[in-house]
Amino acid sequence: MTAAPRTEDRRHVVVVGAGPAGLAAAGSALAAGARVTLADAAERPGGQYHRTLPEEFGGPRDGGSHFARLRRRVLDHPHCTWLAETSVWALERPDPEQPGPPRVHTLTGPADGNDRPRRVLTPDALVLAPGAHDRVLPFPGWELPGVYAAGAAQALVKGERLAVGDDVLLAGSGPFLLPVATALLTAGAGVREVLEANTPKTVAAGWTRRPWQLAAQPAKAAELARCTALLVRHRVPYRMGRTVIEARGDGRVEEAVTARLRPDWSVVPGSERTVPVDALCVTHGFTPQLELPLAAGCALLRTPAGEFVAVDADQRTTMPGVYAAGEITGIAGAPAARTEGALAGWCAAGGDPAAPALHRVRRNRERGRAFAARLAAAHPVGPAWPGWLRPETVICRCEETDYGTLRSAATDASGAAPRVIKLATRAGLGPCQARICGPTVAELTARLHSPPPGRPAEGLPPAAPHRRPLAQPIRLGELARTPDGPEPDPKESTA
């Protein structure tokens, strides 16, 4: 009889992010015999998809769902360390010439708290599953109070039972508009209408190609049917080929100007219509959180839907010992993220990549990738959207940099390099550090000055909107302080 390995002798897998992908990765790595450290900035695992009101505040007791069972299996496992409210602010490769995963620098505690424990984790393998956040294209007035990213509005409903307004208009592109509308209606908000920017022809062309493949997504079809039924019951119009091109108001949003769009998202003249609202929710897709993959040195893959982390058949990135799963490898929804996470966790833990149980996982992963491609084709961002902008339209809300200033800098041959534009206009230098405006600024400046001028400064990597020396904000005192001690063991989980 062979004795079970001691905890300290087990392969150590660090998983960053506890949404559907990260939680599945942790469960799979534990099943493969590893010890796991699971870190997330939130108090509870689940991410945005599984966000609910806490039970102590009257939230539902979700004890029987697949997610609830997986959460218990992971957090109660004797070889799992759960680090709640933990920010991974840096990845460090001690010797860039040596293979192996980077060391993981963490801070645990509320973002505005003092004396947050600082630790350095040294994994045998690292799984990155940080997820994505809303992408919102700028338009005149989008900086007004009362204009929300759709994900933020959904989070307020799910986590706080707060509806952002009584007369809400949803606009943007993608199926995410539907669950947000459903959440708002369930919370008692009045939803005036839902606007999908792409035309019916574009959406139909993307979704109806190889229609038999949709049979593999029965859960999504059921969710679509539930959302559609609720919109019908509340008589909420769902219009395609129309979007919000301006928000107006005195001190906060009071009305939205909508317009009909052509397939390239240019405005059809004379189609403008004014709608009174007290809140406006917008989303134009998702931006993967690529700070940590770039810090780890992972290569990116450019696709029609944007840049994502390049992975192989086992979710392995181009950096040894680093795996990626979920929305940083492609936007395909929670089921696909869970599948990728399960595969990444198993392989990161040293599990047999030829195990028979992985056949179905890999088949589902391929279905998820096919769904991501279909989603990108049905709901693209039209190239003519900058036509909505005016010189005074704010692009960077933190620093109030407007389109006119950005355009002047980008068209100046002597100062159009990305880092020069950042310093000259301050776009991306505010509190969000370009997490919101970065992709938009990069796209606009590339269009205004193509090809991008200049070369990277000697010794620095090429400028990119997601490349940051520090992945999360950290106080100077915390940065200067030495780590607080060794890695926590499972008994020291912070939950």
Side-chain angles (χ1 to χ4, degrees):
M1 181 176 179
T2 303
R6 297 179 303 171
T7 298
E8 58 270 29
D9 293 335
R10 292 173 180 268
R11 186 172 171 81
H12 183 201
V13 176
V14 171
V15 180
V16 181
L23 196 64
S28 188
L30 290 166
R35 66 183 174 99
V36 170
T37 300
L38 176 62
D40 194 284
E43 294 182 29
R44 296 173 295 163
Q48 172 85 343
Y49 188 79
H50 292 291
R51 187 191 300 271
T52 60
L53 192 69
E55 290 182 5
E56 55 268 32
F57 295 143
R61 293 184 179 276
D62 183 21
S65 68
H66 172 78
F67 164 70
R69 293 194 301 273
L70 176 60
R71 181 180 56 190
R72 281 198 302 272
R73 191 163 71 242
V74 170
L75 300 193
D76 295 344
H77 198 287
H79 299 132
C80 177
T81 303
W82 162 233
L83 299 180
E85 291 188 304
T86 296
S87 298
V88 175
W89 59 272
L91 299 179
E92 175 197 12
R93 189 175 298 280
D95 183 352
E97 302 300 324
Q98 295 296 320
R103 295 192 298 198
V104 180
H105 292 257
T106 69
L107 280 167
T108 298
D112 57 351
N114 295 318
D115 300 324
R116 295 190 294 175
R118 178 185 163 189
R119 288 194 170 94
V120 181
L121 308 178
T122 307
D124 296 308
L126 174 64
V127 178
L128 297 175
H133 52 75
D134 288 81
R135 184 183 182 192
V136 176
L137 300 176
F139 50 84
W142 77 305
E143 73 279 10
L144 283 171
V147 179
Y148 297 85
Q154 187 192 46
L156 287 171
V157 172
K158 283 187 165 186
E160 308 288 342
R161 281 185 181 166
L162 290 176
V164 295
D166 296 321
D167 275 324
V168 187
L169 190 149
L170 268 71
S173 184
F176 184 52
L177 288 166
L178 294 176
V180 175
T182 301
L184 288 169
L185 289 169
T186 304
V191 179
R192 297 192 67 94
E193 53 187 334
V194 180
L195 305 181
E196 161 63 51
N198 283 291
T199 63
K201 184 178 180 181
T202 301
V203 174
W207 285 115
T208 58
R209 189 177 52 184
R210 301 188 182 94
W212 59 90
Q213 292 181 347
L214 289 175
Q217 306 287 343
K220 292 187 179 298
E223 183 180 5
L224 174 64
R226 286 195 301 273
C227 292
T228 303
L230 192 66
L231 292 186
V232 171
R233 190 157 66 244
H234 287 267
R235 298 182 179 180
V236 178
Y238 180 84
R239 307 185 197 282
M240 305 176 78
R242 179 172 282 272
T243 197
V244 171
I245 60 169
E246 183 178 359
R248 297 172 179 165
D250 184 10
R252 64 167 291 115
V253 64
E254 295 173 348
E255 59 184 26
V257 179
T258 72
R260 193 151 55 87
L261 300 181
R262 301 186 181 95
D264 64 354
W265 289 22
S266 58
V267 173
V268 176
S271 66
E272 293 86 352
R273 181 163 55 87
T274 301
V275 181
V277 297
D278 62 6
L280 180 58
C281 300
V282 284
T283 178
H284 301 96
F286 294 93
T287 300
Q289 297 191 41
L290 298 176
E291 294 94 340
L292 293 178
L294 285 172
C298 304
L300 302 183
L301 179 68
R302 184 178 292 276
T303 76
E307 288 187 317
F308 298 95
V309 180
V311 292
D312 67 5
D314 292 334
Q315 299 300 130
R316 187 185 293 112
T317 73
T318 54
M319 296 306 294
V322 181
Y323 297 74
E327 288 156 324
I328 60 172
T329 69
I331 306 297
R338 276 195 293 269
T339 302
E340 289 193 1
L343 185 56
W346 178 268
C347 295
D352 180 6
L358 294 189
H359 294 166
R360 184 171 59 86
V361 176
R362 286 198 169 90
R363 188 166 61 248
N364 289 339
R365 192 265 309 276
E366 294 309 311
R367 288 172 177 168
R369 289 182 174 177
F371 184 81
R374 185 185 296 274
L375 184 65
H379 301 277
V381 173
W385 72 266
W388 311 344
L389 304 178
R390 301 172 188 154
E392 67 274 17
T393 301
V394 171
I395 303 297
C396 170
R397 294 196 291 192
C398 295
E399 294 293 321
E400 298 183 345
T401 304
D402 60 41
Y403 182 51
T405 301
L406 189 68
R407 188 170 55 187
S408 298
T411 52
D412 182 352
S414 63
R419 289 190 172 91
V420 177
I421 286 181
K422 191 172 186 177
L423 293 173
T425 67
R426 295 199 57 79
L429 288 176
C432 90
Q433 288 289 287
R435 287 175 177 81
I436 303 300
C437 70
T440 297
V441 171
E443 179 181 344
L444 290 175
T445 53
R447 287 178 179 222
L448 293 166
H449 201 295
S450 184
R455 294 176 298 176
E458 187 175 353
L460 293 177
H466 303 285
R467 194 182 299 284
R468 300 180 181 89
L470 302 181
Q472 297 290 334
I474 177 173
R475 297 185 181 88
L476 288 175
E478 293 172 325
L479 183 63
R481 205 174 70 218
T482 56
D484 289 294
E487 300 176 15
D489 61 36
K491 296 178 182 177
E492 296 178 9
S493 293
T494 59

